[in-house]
Amino acid sequence: ISSLTEPNEEPTTLTETAAHSGVFTGLVQLSDIPTGFNDGAVMIADNDQVTIRYQDADAGPWGPVNLVKTVPIDCEPPIIDNVSVEFIYQRINMQPSMYAALIRFTTKEHTFASVMYGYDCINLWSNASDTVDSDNHLILLRDLDDNTTYSFTIHVGDIAGNYAMDDNNGECHQFVTPPACEHDNISFDTVIYGCQMGVMVSMHDCA
């Protein structure tokens, strides 16, 4: 096993998982600090590439076989950007009731994401998440009180196990839901509609 950072191949022993199973496994530790030869570790860096080379001296009718496989390396945490908040009304029993907030943000790469939120930065008592591996995120916070300040933090992770959090430099992001009766406020009950759906429009006239 080798990498672009450490091109000298690190020898690795594979062990058969069960007798006559034909399945062999082994472990080599990746490290971002200098490693030595034959120490069971390979030095890597961000955007590196690990190469596995397997030499089979007797592959049956195919004779000796050399197999080569590469896998990319990602060491950097995702970057969260373009955070914004949009309010919509929820529809309960066919009537607009309570607020929801749509948290929008982007990440520099595809990630899974969640939002922790609550009434203040030290009491984030609830969470919501998306189930899509994406770089453009929309997370809906439901059942919010009107005319209320909420704090939230954003948490993302990529498939390489890198994690990032955006807590607005320790202050948490914040938004305030509109009053229950906001003059001439037109709202829809969702942010996008299907071709066969009904459009619920809410108009609050406080006059």
Side-chain angles (χ1 to χ4, degrees), residues 70-90:
T70 61
V71 62
I73 298 297
D74 178 5
C75 301
E76 293 297 318
I79 295 175
I80 303 168
D81 205 358
N82 301 315
V83 180
S84 65
V85 181
E86 179 182 336
F87 298 114
I88 64 173
Y89 279 105
Q90 293 177 243

Side-chain angles (χ1 to χ4, degrees), residues 4-73:
L4 298 178
T5 303
E6 185 180 335
N8 293 328
E9 294 183 342
E10 182 76 19
T12 305
T13 300
L14 305 182
T15 303
E16 194 169 18
T17 57
H20 309 297
S21 68
V23 178
F24 296 80
T25 62
L27 176 66
V28 172
Q29 182 63 48
L30 302 180
S31 175
D32 59 359
I33 60 176
T35 59
F37 178 72
N38 202 19
D39 61 356
V42 173
M43 186 178 178
I44 49 85
D46 188 40
N47 292 321
D48 208 331
Q49 177 178 283
V50 167
T51 299
I52 297 93
R53 188 185 305 277
Y54 176 70
Q55 296 177 338
D56 191 338
D58 183 6
W62 296 277
V65 172
N66 291 325
L67 302 176
V68 178
K69 187 78 172 182
T70 61
V71 62
I73 298 297

